[in-house]
Amino acid sequence: MDRIPLVHSSLGEKELAAVAEVFSSGWPAGQGPRGKALETQLAERYGVGDAVALSNCGAALHLAMLALGVKPGDEVIVADYTFPAPAHAVRYVDAVPVFADVRADTGTVDPQAVADLIGPRTVGVIAVDTVGLPADYAELNSIADRHGLFVVEDAACAVGATYQGRQAGALAPVACLSFHGRKGATSGEGGALITADPALAADARLRSSFGIGSIFDQAQTVGLPIPVFTDIGYNYKLSDIAAAILQVQLERVEELLERRSAVAARYAELLADEELLTVPHVPQDRTHAWQSYVVTLDRAVDRGEVATALRAQGIGSGHGTWATHLQPVYRSKQRCPVSADLFRRNLAVPMHAELTMSQVERVVEVLRTALRTSASGRAA
Ligand SMILES: *Cc1c(COP(=O)(O)O)cnc(C)c1O
């Protein structure tokens, strides 16, 4: 049986060769020559002032909260339908995440919901490019400007996506990227903070290395400089090994995304007439990075049964992402009905750059049968 996994990282010979070079350079740790080169590459790619290479996107979000000066008790409005990293980051600094519901058609944060939640303690908004689809930044940035709030773009899944012709990752004053193994460009684990504000980047960079400057840089200067700790920082550095992998991956983003886009187009074509599910909607003014391909099942279908039927045929699937406000850790009394509904009904089907069209066709065939069986079983 041909097993078709939900996700698969496209790492190959070029990435291996880049790692071998780091081994022989003698500097595998963070903030070395490869990390610097990666930061330059990222800043150029996004056309912004600075990029800070970090160990993961969760760290980037944490450093963004610190650099933006979020204080205990402040309220930060977060998109609800997402991997809950944004709300976690708000809690890292003892601030209060306020959950904003999402658009039913895109799963991205609803700008009206954000506007309705602004109160005297609100300091900012974290929007999410949901599984790779950018949110409504024109509206979000204008609401934030009117109220003097910051906007952070969680572009963890969106490397390669665009909004009104601009790259995801450059759609808000601060953006956070993930290079986790399940994202479109990866070094296994990895992340970055992208910003036009040099002071913000400097703050994040310093706090990412225990509150001292680059040890590699210090070693290059003459004499015996003793680093000075000016902050209680963290160790959120990206290793130069990971940076080398990412330099290769970033060069391949367009090629890999082209393949994922072809997979998405084929799914959409084959499932267009399927009444028991809705395929993803991509508004005219943006493009999707297709980190996941998430369909919304009809209420007549039992999602667990469909997942079981897919698994029996060796096909991976997933629940999509989370309704953050429903996670027990938040003990939230808020309601985000659209997000809760997507959390119940969405199903992620295999999506990666190595899928063949015949595999996509087989997924659709098994999926269609499973949908029919489940819907008729429930009707009976
Ligand atoms: C994956 C993900 C994260 C976390 O990224 P890490 O690099 O694993 O820390 C954050 N936000 C969103 C929206 C994600 O999908």
Side-chain angles (χ1 to χ4, degrees):
M1 185 169 59
D2 176 23
R3 292 182 49 79
I4 309 178
L6 179 63
V7 289
H8 178 89
S9 303
S10 298
L11 292 164
E13 295 298 324
K14 277 192 186 161
E15 287 83 353
L16 268 179
V19 169
E21 265 179 48
V22 178
F23 284 7
S24 50
S25 82
W27 186 270
Q31 294 188 341
R34 283 305 200 138
K36 271 214 184 62
L38 172 68
E39 289 183 342
T40 305
Q41 194 179 346
L42 283 167
E44 275 168 14
R45 178 182 173 87
Y46 292 100
V48 294
D50 211 345
V52 187
L54 296 166
S55 51
N56 57 69
C57 182
L61 288 162
H62 185 187
L63 295 178
M65 294 300 97
L66 291 166
L68 288 162
V70 179
K71 298 276 177 312
D74 286 350
E75 289 182 4
V76 179
I77 298 171
V78 297
D80 192 67
Y81 187 59
T82 177
F83 187 83
H88 272 46
V90 173
R91 288 283 292 270
Y92 293 159
V93 296
D94 294 320
V96 181
V98 176
F99 305 104
D101 209 354
V102 296
R103 284 174 54 166
D105 60 344
T106 59
T108 54
V109 69
D110 179 352
Q112 189 55 52
V114 170
D116 291 345
L117 290 166
I118 295 170
R121 284 156 69 181
T122 310
V123 295
V125 181
I126 307 178
V128 175
D129 300 335
T130 315
V131 302
L133 182 66
D136 296 286
Y137 290 96
E139 291 83 351
L140 291 166
N141 284 324
S142 115
I143 291 167
D145 281 349
R146 273 205 304 281
H147 294 270
L149 309 176
F150 66 73
V151 180
V152 171
E153 176 189 6
D154 180 342
C157 298
V159 174
T162 62
Y163 171 82
Q164 299 182 352
R166 284 169 31 236
Q167 288 282 334
L171 302 176
V174 181
C176 298
L177 308 182
S178 173
F179 303 116
H180 180 268
R182 288 182 67 160
K183 317 290 179 174
T186 183
S187 48
E189 300 277 356
L193 184 147
I194 310 288
T195 179
D197 182 341
L200 232 142
D203 185 288
R205 189 174 283 112
L206 191 69
R207 287 191 217 257
S208 76
S209 63
F210 284 116
I212 50 166
S214 160
I215 300 287
F216 182 85
D217 284 352
Q218 305 266 358
Q220 310 306 305
T221 43
V222 208
L224 184 63
I226 314 287
V228 175
F229 291 85
T230 53
D231 252 305
I232 297 297
Y234 303 83
N235 186 356
Y236 284 167
K237 300 186 299 294
L238 185 75
S239 78
D240 265 33
I241 298 174
I245 297 172
L246 281 175
Q247 284 206 272
V248 177
Q249 286 270 295
L250 286 177
E251 276 163 19
R252 297 179 62 201
V253 165
E254 276 66 38
E255 164 216 332
L256 296 173
L257 180 51
E258 205 171 293
R259 291 202 244 154
R260 284 199 305 277
S261 298
V263 168
R266 189 71 181 129
Y267 272 133
E269 189 183 351
L270 293 169
L271 291 168
D273 65 341
E274 177 52 70
E275 287 162 3
L276 292 172
L277 60 73
T278 311
V279 297
H281 169 65
V282 182
Q284 285 292 332
D285 63 350
R286 64 202 83 177
T287 61
H288 208 304
W290 300 116
Q291 186 265 341
S292 297
Y293 194 84
V294 178
V295 296
T296 305
L297 304 186
D298 189 271
R299 289 187 171 79
V301 174
D302 182 316
R303 182 172 61 168
E305 281 176 15
V306 173
T308 304
L310 287 167
R311 170 157 302 185
Q313 297 297 317
I315 299 169
S317 67
H319 71 272
T321 192
W322 284 261
T324 307
H325 75 292
L326 295 180
Q327 300 315 303
V329 65
Y330 292 108
R331 289 187 213 95
S332 174
K333 292 194 175 61
Q334 277 191 262
R335 289 191 65 244
C336 298
V338 178
S339 172
D341 187 48
L342 296 176
F343 181 47
R344 262 191 306 274
R345 292 200 286 140
N346 275 357
L347 183 77
V349 294
M351 170 53 83
H352 55 81
E354 330 247 317
L355 278 176
T356 64
M357 289 306 152
S358 67
Q359 286 178 316
V360 172
E361 283 154 24
R362 195 161 79 80
V363 171
V364 168
E365 203 180 293
V366 176
L367 179 60
R368 276 185 184 281
T369 308
L371 291 170
R372 296 268 102 64
T373 309
S374 176
S376 64
R378 276 196 153 187

